[in-house]
Amino acid sequence: MLQSFIHYFLHFIAIGAIAYWYDKKQWKKNWLILLATMLVDLDHVFADPLFDPDRCSINYHPLHTYYAIAVYILGSIFVKHKILKLVFIGLLFHMITDFIDCLW
Ligand SMILES: [Zn+2]
């Protein structure tokens, strides 16, 4: 119960704070962009069973591997394009959120 709460809090609410920190004037747009990075969970459709709350996503799903995470880190640091950079930051934060689940 607490775990789900923290998971969804981070996935939906905490990214609002990131959106605001990133650019106060455009926080709503940024929030939508960050919400869109949730689509990375679409890689779960290749998994069986489709959804398993007790499973650790990290290194299980194709877009949740260490290779993918390395790309997200590099993207957040080196990409200059503002929206693209935010997408990478969002993806990276998503991985952190999923990783917290693996610690429970
Ligand atoms: Zn995920």
Side-chain angles (χ1 to χ4, degrees), residues 1-15:
M1 181 61 205
L2 178 69
Q3 181 186 351
S4 312
F5 176 78
I6 290 175
H7 186 85
Y8 288 107
F9 179 83
L10 287 172
H11 262 341
F12 292 103
I13 308 301
I15 58 172

Side-chain angles (χ1 to χ4, degrees), residues 7 11 37-38 40-44 57-58 61 63-64 94-95 97-98:
H7 186 85
H11 262 341
T37 63
M38 294 284 293
V40 71
D41 274 344
L42 281 178
D43 64 359
H44 294 23
S57 300
I58 302 299
H61 305 295
L63 294 173
H64 288 64
H94 179 110
M95 295 309 137
T97 305
D98 282 3

Side-chain angles (χ1 to χ4, degrees), residues 2-59:
L2 178 69
Q3 181 186 351
S4 312
F5 176 78
I6 290 175
H7 186 85
Y8 288 107
F9 179 83
L10 287 172
H11 262 341
F12 292 103
I13 308 301
I15 58 172
I18 296 177
Y20 189 77
W21 157 81
Y22 196 69
D23 186 348
K24 291 177 194 56
K25 284 184 223 100
Q26 304 198 48
W27 71 271
K28 276 185 208 150
K29 187 178 118 196
N30 291 343
W31 198 344
L32 287 176
I33 292 168
L34 287 170
L35 281 175
T37 63
M38 294 284 293
L39 291 175
V40 71
D41 274 344
L42 281 178
D43 64 359
H44 294 23
V45 297
F46 301 114
D48 181 34
L50 200 58
F51 183 72
D52 178 358
D54 293 322
R55 179 175 59 206
C56 173
S57 300
I58 302 299
N59 257 343

